[in-house]
Amino acid sequence: MAAFLKDIAPILEQACVRGTLDAAALAVVHDGQVFEHAWGLANRREEIAATPDTLFHIGSATKSITAELVWQLIGNGRLRLDMPVIGAAPELSHIATLRDEGLTIGHLLSHTGGLDGDVIFDAGRGRDVLRRYMEQIGEIGSLHAPGSQFSYANVGYGILGRIVEVAGGQVFEDALAGRLRVHHKLTRVAILPIEKIRQRTALFFSGERPDYFGPYSNIASGTVLAMSMGDLARWAASHLEKGGAVPALTEQMRQPVVALPHNHRYQGWGYGVSLLDDLGRSLIGHDGGTAGTATFMRIAPHRGTAWAMAATGSAAVAVYREVEPHLRRLAGLPDQLPRNPAGGPVPEDLSIYEGSYRRHGMTFDIAKGPERTLVMTITGSMAPTSFSGLTLQPVTAQVFSIRIPALDAEIWASFHEFDEAGKPQLFFVLERMTRRGDPA
Amino acid sequence: MSGLASLVDFAARIAAIRDEAGVPGLSFAVWHGGKMISAAAGVLSLDTGIAVRPDSLFQIGSITKSLTATLVMQAAEEGLVDIDRPVRDYIGVRVGRGPYTDSFTARQLMAHTSGLDGDLFLDTGRDDDAIAKYMVLCSRLEFLVAPGRFYNYSNAGYAVLGRLLEVVRGKVYDRILDEHLFARIGATRSTTMPEVAAFRRTASGHGPGADGATAVVPLVHLPRALGPAGLSLYSTAEDLIAYACAHMSGESLVSRAGAAAMRTPQVALPEGASWGLGWKIIANGNTTFVGHDGGTIGQVASLWTAPEANLAVAMCANGGRVRKAWEAVAFPIFREVCGATPETAMPDFAPVPDDLERYEGVYENSGVDMEVTATSNGLDVVARQKFLSLPEVRFAMRPLGGDRFRATIGDDDKVVTAFLDPDAKGRPTLFFAGRIHRRKGG
């Protein structure tokens, strides 16, 4: 066993024994070698053990692969980063926001288009599903002007999926399969359910039915693709430095498009990857979360190190936090993404932050709390039930930290676009922007 | 059933026979004396190595047709369908060409006597409208013979029955199967949806690989449109037993009279068996056996019952010499309980006629070309699929007399074929080998 695994294996093994995880799989590429390991049960109901070649639903980590498909089309001149989205596929013409805001492919790749973006619904399962999804999408809200801020938008990657089809002349599922199976020569990959049947595929059951299955319509943003961690790590390793240089594709994807005022999960975003250490110069990656499964893909381009870990179960994210320092050390990186900002002046009067901030399916009501804190209540059709009545502690005039007791976690949020009266117009929380929508 | 006294013995027997027959994964369930025993051995897939259990899912292929027919009978008992009225009255679209399109009935489709050509394996997509779209393509199908005249196994005909159910129930076929059949018999493992099968132990098909060794077959996209004929359903040996029991003794699916009507012969087959409504019927000794076999690419299943003896045997297998495994496990059980087995007695071979050339020629239907050539002791046949990318099948046939022949296809040496309707020169215009094929250019 490789030395780093001596520290990691007990963490994952014990979580599986305790039952806080059903399964975990880790694959590491380091100095040209591939290490693949798995723990626990791929399918608890059916008593199927997890093995290194078990497939996991990688969720939004799919977006990095979708981005690669876009960059491939940019490379052969069929797309441009600054190409307007509105003309890139005929079914998009009815979505006024794309036209009115002048959104480009680059905006969608980097989540800087301001799209109010959790438009996820089932448009069928056929080969024409992305076209149908675009036709049925209706209007998409705008949260901020394009290019000015970061707001994670699933719908943006759905649109990119359709653009890949039109520009590449190929159904998205075929383009994805071709990229992974032919170009990258990966075999532990499943897109269609019948492909998942033929391999060992991990699932998490919170009730009678497993909760993995997202609508096929959202294939390009991550509801469909399952891969072994070995194959995801091999994919990631294709972005490592070769012959003293980082591949051009990797350089394109990790351009620092947008930086965040805080970094509880990442420092900023590029064109297809999240920017971690040194704003992506030392570490890039993508996380994924389909219900019950969490996936973490990381690339340290100059260190010859890439890794992929997936876990099913309630402790998936917490366990990864325990594992990651060991992998960072292997890559010669600090144990954690350096926390910033360290702290700064905080205004005396917290009433400037008060108000209702809205996005699709959620309203965040912020009011003054005890002492120098704010209290946040979340309502709406997409509101997470465990997140009500949370306390916001100021770190700087812009950044607040939020403890979530139900998840034993701390997240950071930030306020943006302060007006003449000093009131913020935008509130960034849970990876997305929300816009102040006070009654006039 | 003393031979099955212990489940341990049964499990050991299944494991031994699986070994002998080279079946990757084998699952059996038996119902007798008011009890079910089941056992399984081997693996779901030689790639994954995941073990088969008696509740593992396999593609059961055409056994599905029996379930589809049951749903039609159920709808008839609810007054939603008259099985003797033209199907056209319900589905609204024209299926098949020519005058018969307005006259064939659900009863004829269930008994395979509609005459409708049936192996149109075209894909109309994975969406819920797959069967409805397929009906449009069925407008081009020929009636190989007039409805009611002869048995002609028709997959398309069962897709039409699926559409009939969708129309009268106002639901997608897959949901009708779940709600009106599986839910009522507690067969909770079975599903037509691959995304549901993917979270259960589900078998992959196997066949001879490039080096001749048994291997997982390449991925084949089976059209959802032909789900009611058997291309979609994943089921288990245990669920098939629950289904058989509902036919033999319960009223959870159809009335006793309805179940009895389904196993009443509607048409005779050349080998002596007959077809009822969704069932094949073999009378042997004092026993009437009722059952259905099924197969997809690399998977085979059988369900046979002896209703008077309240006996049922179900098998699911994923490759290898499956027929051998079936006979080794099921036949001793049937023999012990009924003194007979569900197989037709083969007639003796007849002398080789001296005019075998008159059978020669190419016979076809929408799915297959059959090239027939005379040899010194019979006929050779090469079957070529038109739509499915499957290797051609060659088989030899020896004369049984009276325009009948006995063929050996794969490991089944009991296939009886027949030539029909000779022209003025005495050359047959139809070749029956499970399906009717019409002489080309004839």
Side-chain angles (χ1 to χ4, degrees):
Chain A
M1 192 187 279
F4 67 93
L5 267 173
K6 287 208 184 75
D7 299 317
I8 293 171
I11 300 170
L12 296 170
E13 200 174 300
Q14 281 159 27
C16 290
V17 170
R18 277 197 306 271
T20 52
L21 289 185
D22 275 10
L26 172 67
V28 180
V29 176
H30 183 64
D31 286 342
Q33 276 186 286
V34 187
F35 304 88
E36 291 179 79
H37 289 268
W39 297 264
L41 292 172
N43 187 324
R44 171 160 42 89
R45 280 297 163 86
E46 302 282 318
E47 300 167 309
I48 297 171
T51 58
D53 55 16
T54 295
L55 275 50
F56 286 81
H57 288 88
I58 68 166
S60 290
T62 306
K63 289 187 177 76
S64 292
I65 303 170
T66 298
E68 208 180 81
L69 291 171
V70 172
W71 276 107
Q72 195 188 357
L73 291 164
I74 291 173
N76 62 27
R78 300 209 189 164
L79 292 176
R80 290 190 329 273
L81 204 55
D82 62 356
M83 182 184 273
V85 169
I86 191 78
E91 308 77 31
L92 300 174
S93 58
H94 75 279
I95 307 173
T97 306
L98 302 179
R99 183 191 312 278
D100 298 349
E101 303 287 327
L103 258 63
T104 65
I105 285 167
H107 291 139
L108 300 188
L109 279 173
S110 58
H111 300 286
T112 55
L115 290 176
D116 195 352
D118 287 321
V119 189
I120 294 175
F121 60 88
D122 190 350
R125 60 217 321 273
R127 286 171 62 78
D128 57 350
V129 69
L130 278 172
R131 181 178 56 76
R132 287 186 186 207
Y133 174 39
M134 293 303 119
E135 284 168 356
Q136 295 169 23
I137 215 162
E139 196 41 77
I140 306 172
S142 174
L143 293 163
H144 58 78
S148 63
Q149 306 288 350
F150 172 81
S151 186
Y152 193 85
N154 279 303
V155 71
Y157 271 77
I159 293 168
L160 286 173
R162 179 58 187 150
I163 291 173
V164 164
E165 289 188 337
V166 173
Q170 204 178 15
V171 173
F172 186 80
E173 66 187 38
D174 294 340
L176 186 61
R179 186 71 190 173
L180 295 174
R181 296 205 175 106
V182 181
H183 179 84
H184 287 292
K185 299 184 175 62
L186 303 174
T187 56
R188 297 295 175 192
V189 172
I191 297 167
L192 297 172
I194 43 171
E195 297 167 352
K196 292 169 190 173
I197 290 174
R198 291 160 60 91
Q199 308 208 42
R200 202 179 274 254
T201 305
L203 295 165
F204 182 72
F205 294 79
S206 60
E208 273 304 304
R209 291 168 69 89
D211 32 7
Y212 87 94
F213 187 63
Y216 198 76
S217 341
N218 296 80
I219 176 172
S221 60
T223 50
V224 171
L225 181 62
M227 291 174 78
S228 76
M229 288 304 102
D231 274 5
L232 184 55
R234 283 182 196 93
W235 177 87
S238 74
H239 291 277
L240 296 175
E241 192 176 274
K242 270 185 227 52
V246 172
L249 175 63
T250 317
E251 289 293 14
Q252 287 164 328
M253 287 173 70
R254 71 168 175 170
Q255 294 170 70
V257 185
V258 59
L260 297 174
H262 60 73
N263 58 357
H264 89 272
R265 285 179 64 185
Y266 36 79
Q267 294 184 332
W269 218 270
Y271 289 119
V273 288
S274 58
L275 308 175
L276 295 129
D277 298 45
D278 306 319
L279 206 54
R281 283 187 297 278
S282 300
L283 191 70
I284 55 178
H286 212 299
D287 295 354
T290 62
T293 309
T295 303
F296 305 89
M297 181 273 292
R298 296 288 183 270
I299 304 161
H302 305 287
R303 308 286 183 160
T305 307
W307 64 86
M309 188 184 124
T312 51
S314 59
V317 175
V319 167
Y320 178 71
R321 268 195 228 113
E322 275 185 73
V323 167
E324 195 186 62
H326 300 286
L327 297 166
R328 289 175 146 274
R329 258 172 256 158
L330 182 71
L333 296 168
D335 280 10
Q336 286 180 357
L337 183 61
R339 274 299 179 108
N340 70 2
V346 176
E348 281 302 316
D349 180 11
L350 293 184
S351 66
I352 57 162
Y353 303 105
E354 284 187 312
S356 260
Y357 299 83
R358 297 204 172 97
R359 67 177 182 236
H360 180 71
M362 286 200 217
T363 299
F364 299 75
D365 287 306
I366 291 175
K368 275 203 280 191
E371 295 171 22
R372 286 170 52 73
T373 65
L374 296 168
V375 173
M376 176 173 81
T377 307
I378 315 177
T379 53
S381 60
M382 297 177 79
T385 49
S386 53
F387 287 16
S388 232
L390 298 172
T391 302
L392 279 65
Q393 290 281 356
V395 178
T396 69
Q398 195 182 4
V399 177
F400 284 68
S401 84
I402 309 173
R403 274 215 63 77
I404 304 173
L407 299 184
D408 189 25
E410 184 194 28
I411 62 169
W412 290 25
S414 50
F415 292 92
H416 301 258
E417 282 189 8
F418 292 83
D419 66 9
E420 300 86 14
K423 282 187 168 187
Q425 298 305 301
L426 296 173
F427 174 51
F428 179 81
V429 63
L430 299 173
E431 324 311 330
R432 288 149 181 87
M433 215 44 101
T434 50
R435 176 160 285 283
R436 184 187 282 275
D438 294 344
Chain B
M1 211 179 346
S2 57
L4 298 175
S6 114
L7 184 57
V8 178
D9 287 353
F10 188 56
R13 184 158 171 72
I14 298 303
I17 287 166
R18 183 205 75 86
D19 233 31
E20 274 168 41
V23 175
L26 184 63
S27 174
F28 262 92
V30 179
W31 174 264
H32 185 244
K35 280 201 295 254
M36 182 178 74
I37 60 168
S38 57
V43 292
L44 297 172
S45 150
L46 291 172
D47 276 357
T48 66
I50 300 169
V52 175
R53 302 194 306 200
D55 64 352
S56 292
L57 296 166
F58 288 73
Q59 293 179 329
I60 62 157
S62 293
I63 296 176
T64 310
K65 291 188 176 74
S66 169
L67 281 67
T68 300
T70 301
L71 290 168
V72 171
M73 289 300 281
Q74 190 186 69
E77 292 188 344
E78 289 174 31
L80 297 172
V81 177
D82 179 342
I83 64 169
D84 293 311
R85 254 181 80 176
V87 170
R88 171 88 198 272
D89 292 357
Y90 299 98
I91 63 171
V93 295
R94 292 177 74 87
V95 165
R97 293 206 292 222
Y100 303 134
T101 183
D102 292 324
S103 67
F104 71 92
T105 65
R107 179 191 294 278
Q108 289 164 343
L109 291 176
M110 288 190 278
H112 294 295
T113 59
S114 70
L116 186 67
D117 191 0
D119 289 334
L120 185 71
F121 290 112
L122 293 180
D123 196 349
T124 51
R126 306 186 296 246
D127 275 310
D128 285 353
D129 57 1
I131 302 175
K133 279 183 177 164
Y134 180 71
M135 290 303 107
V136 176
L137 303 180
C138 284
S139 64
R140 71 165 83 150
L141 281 174
E142 303 278 348
F143 286 87
L144 296 167
V145 290
R149 191 175 152 227
F150 199 78
Y151 171 82
N152 174 57
Y153 193 87
S154 177
N155 281 302
Y158 268 81
V160 175
L161 289 172
R163 182 61 192 152
L164 170 68
L165 288 165
E166 291 189 335
V167 170
V168 300
R169 293 248 184 238
K171 285 180 213 167
V172 175
Y173 171 79
D174 308 80
R175 280 196 54 205
I176 299 170
L177 194 54
D178 279 345
E179 293 172 13
H180 293 266
L181 201 149
F182 294 130
R184 295 191 187 191
I185 60 172
T188 53
R189 302 278 293 175
S190 300
T191 181
T192 51
M193 307 310 282
E195 63 266 35
V196 177
F199 56 75
R200 299 187 179 145
R201 278 183 195 243
T202 301
S204 297
H206 294 74
D211 59 355
T214 303
V216 174
V217 293
L219 180 63
V220 178
H221 296 270
L222 300 174
R224 187 179 176 190
L226 285 130
L231 294 197
S232 297
L233 183 54
Y234 301 86
S235 189
T236 72
E238 293 180 344
D239 279 359
L240 288 176
I241 290 296
Y243 170 68
C245 286
H247 267 274
M248 294 191 299
S249 49
E251 294 204 90
S252 52
L253 298 179
V254 290
S255 68
R256 279 161 203 273
M262 288 183 69
R263 48 182 189 257
T264 302
Q266 302 282 319
V267 59
L269 274 57
E271 77 265 29
S274 55
W275 215 273
L277 302 176
W279 291 116
K280 189 175 184 177
I281 300 155
I282 296 175
N284 211 352
N286 296 321
T287 308
T288 301
F289 294 101
V290 178
H292 213 298
D293 300 313
T296 62
I297 316 251
Q299 304 203 44
V300 174
S302 281
L303 171 65
W304 280 89
T305 68
E308 287 107 12
N310 197 19
L311 169 69
V313 183
M315 175 194 73
C316 295
N318 59 353
R321 295 184 302 283
V322 178
R323 185 76 202 164
K324 183 184 161 97
W326 167 253
E327 290 184 3
V329 176
F331 281 13
I333 299 169
F334 283 116
R335 222 173 269 128
E336 187 177 326
V337 178
C338 308
T341 57
E343 58 183 340
T344 41
M346 283 293 116
D348 291 335
F349 287 113
V352 179
D354 51 15
D355 60 347
L356 281 173
E357 295 74 28
R358 72 188 181 89
Y359 298 110
E360 284 191 328
V362 179
Y363 300 81
E364 66 165 349
N365 61 20
S366 64
V368 187
D369 273 340
M370 293 271 202
E371 189 180 345
V372 177
T373 8
T375 63
S376 58
N377 62 348
L379 298 171
D380 270 356
V381 181
V382 183
R384 295 184 187 90
Q385 293 282 340
K386 294 184 186 179
F387 297 108
L388 300 178
S389 50
L390 294 175
E392 62 180 33
V393 176
R394 290 169 176 274
F395 55 93
M397 309 198 298
R398 292 179 57 199
L400 295 170
D403 288 339
R404 290 196 304 165
F405 289 80
R406 176 169 166 182
T408 300
I409 304 175
D411 67 348
D412 187 353
D413 65 351
K414 298 189 181 72
V415 180
V416 177
T417 65
F419 291 88
L420 305 153
D421 288 5
D423 62 13
K425 295 177 205 156
R427 300 186 318 157
T429 55
L430 301 175
F431 171 43
F432 172 82
R435 287 100 164 120
I436 288 175
H437 306 80
R438 262 206 306 233
R439 184 185 282 277
K440 253 188 184 174

